[in-house]
Amino acid sequence: MSRREQDALSRTALGVFRLNGQFLAVSEKLAEPAGLTAAWWQVLGAVLPEPLPVAGIARVMGITRQSVQRIADLLVREGLAAYEPNPAHRRAKLLTPTEAGRAAIARIEPGHAELSALLAHELGGQEAFDETVRVLERLSEALDAVSARYEAPGAAD
């Protein structure tokens, strides 16, 4: 690996860590009026299109199953989500939002729309925003591809 590649990796990682912190901070502010946290919003958002098992949510979000399980249990306890039977796996129940959960997410929508418009403007328009998304998705795909090498026993030797 060249020094230039190492510097690019370091700058990318630091930039992504900073972005993560920035997104978490703004997400907390957006979610607060709905009575949610950013983490609750993330998990509820993952199951809006369709119910998913906790392990599936963790894969989509790139976090541990245990973290998602803890949040899912809290959402169920608060009446924002429910577990339903999973026809594909008896023990891995599906998490689905309740009407209260969908209503909470709907309360976030105006702030989310405003932030989206502000970011699109700041980036130079929707086309530039779309390109930013494509680059970040490509970076994630590339990291998935190379990460497998570091997960195999003895691969990093």
Side-chain angles (χ1 to χ4, degrees):
M1 178 186 287
S2 73
R3 181 88 229 135
R4 186 173 174 194
E5 289 169 331
Q6 288 178 331
D7 289 346
L9 176 58
S10 295
R11 288 178 49 225
T12 300
L14 290 173
V16 169
F17 295 153
R18 182 165 186 236
L19 278 170
N20 183 58
Q22 290 170 309
F23 271 114
L24 287 174
V26 75
S27 295
E28 289 291 345
K29 287 179 183 161
L30 288 173
E32 188 176 17
L36 301 176
T37 66
W40 289 20
W41 180 16
Q42 281 182 303
V43 172
L44 273 175
V47 296
L48 283 177
E50 65 178 338
L52 292 170
V54 166
I57 298 166
R59 269 191 303 279
V60 168
M61 294 174 57
I63 60 176
T64 66
R65 188 199 59 75
Q66 293 83 355
S67 297
V68 174
Q69 186 68 64
R70 184 181 55 77
I71 294 165
D73 290 344
L74 286 168
L75 291 169
V76 169
R77 190 167 46 241
E78 295 294 322
L80 298 168
Y83 289 116
E84 61 183 39
N86 182 349
H89 193 286
R90 223 176 333 157
R91 289 184 44 201
K93 295 194 181 316
L94 299 173
L95 186 71
T96 188
T98 62
E99 285 306 312
R102 288 185 185 281
I105 294 294
R107 286 192 294 278
I108 296 171
E109 185 60 31
H112 187 265
E114 180 183 11
L115 177 61
S116 299
L118 290 169
L119 276 175
H121 176 76
E122 193 65 32
L123 286 167
Q126 189 61 50
E127 197 171 299
F129 203 167
D130 292 342
E131 180 60 21
T132 300
V133 172
R134 280 191 293 278
V135 168
L136 289 170
E137 289 171 343
R138 175 65 185 115
L139 176 61
S140 181
E141 291 167 5
L143 196 52
D144 278 343
V146 300
S147 291
R149 178 172 181 199
Y150 291 93
E151 294 170 5
D157 294 336

